[in-house]
Amino acid sequence: MEAALTAFSKWLATTSLSHAIQAAGWIIPTLQTIHILSVAVVFSSAVLVDLRLFRLFERDQPLREVARRFLPAIWPVLLVLLATGSLLIIGEPRRSLVNPTFYLKMTLLLVAVLLTAGLQRSIASAPVAWEKDRSRRMAGKALATVSILIWCGILFAGRWIAYTQAG
């Protein structure tokens, strides 16, 4: 598998789009800036809802309202992350495609997206249960803890990619 990824990343680095991204000195820093700002939006939106589950943020607001305010922002910004991340991979394919830390980040991201989507759906379908049912509140706190840890793992893995790249 590693040989195939190495071969693919070498081929991708020879494409005209990859060369264009590499040749223009401003493209990669611009993409990285947009990517990092988008990560901040997604991370903060998810964590604010998690903090509400802990009752550390917006205690006077119903959970449903906090989730309605912050969770929908995640989905369009994830598309921006997909676009900027894809262009960064095309510009520097070896940095990501043969890097195990990149796959850790992608795995954590998949888990975080599924967890966030499930939470959003659950809050929308039974908002009062998250507030009144003690076992559901405890489950919400556990879920919030896992969510925060996963989102922090994504941040750390994204940063470590630069330090664990092959060759």
Side-chain angles (χ1 to χ4, degrees), residues 67-145:
R68 186 192 62 74
R69 218 171 45 214
F70 293 108
L71 292 181
I74 290 174
W75 310 118
V77 178
L78 279 174
L79 295 176
V80 173
L81 285 169
L82 176 64
T84 57
S86 297
L87 289 170
L88 286 167
I89 290 168
I90 292 168
E92 300 175 312
R94 202 164 153 75
R95 181 177 191 191
S96 296
L97 296 179
V98 293
N99 190 334
T101 307
F102 170 76
Y103 295 101
L104 171 64
K105 177 185 172 184
M106 292 299 103
T107 302
L108 290 172
L109 182 59
L110 177 63
V111 172
V113 166
L114 293 173
L115 187 68
T116 303
L119 178 63
Q120 186 175 14
R121 180 172 290 167
S122 177
I123 291 171
S125 68
V128 177
W130 288 95
E131 303 284 356
K132 305 227 180 207
D133 183 7
R134 185 176 190 282
S135 63
R136 198 78 179 263
R137 280 196 320 268
M138 296 304 289
K141 288 179 181 182
L143 184 71
T145 301

Side-chain angles (χ1 to χ4, degrees), residues 2-63:
E2 188 175 330
L5 287 172
T6 300
F8 178 70
S9 68
K10 284 180 182 178
W11 170 82
L12 190 56
T14 65
T15 63
S16 58
L17 181 55
S18 183
H19 283 279
I21 292 170
Q22 293 170 27
W26 62 271
I27 293 178
I28 289 178
T30 302
L31 289 171
Q32 287 175 334
T33 300
I34 295 167
H35 197 77
I36 290 167
L37 291 173
S38 297
V39 167
V41 169
V42 171
F43 177 82
S44 60
S45 294
V47 169
L48 287 172
V49 174
D50 292 336
L51 292 175
R52 174 57 183 83
L53 284 167
F54 277 118
R55 302 184 69 73
L56 295 173
F57 173 75
E58 296 280 356
R59 282 190 233 175
D60 59 329
Q61 295 291 315
L63 177 60

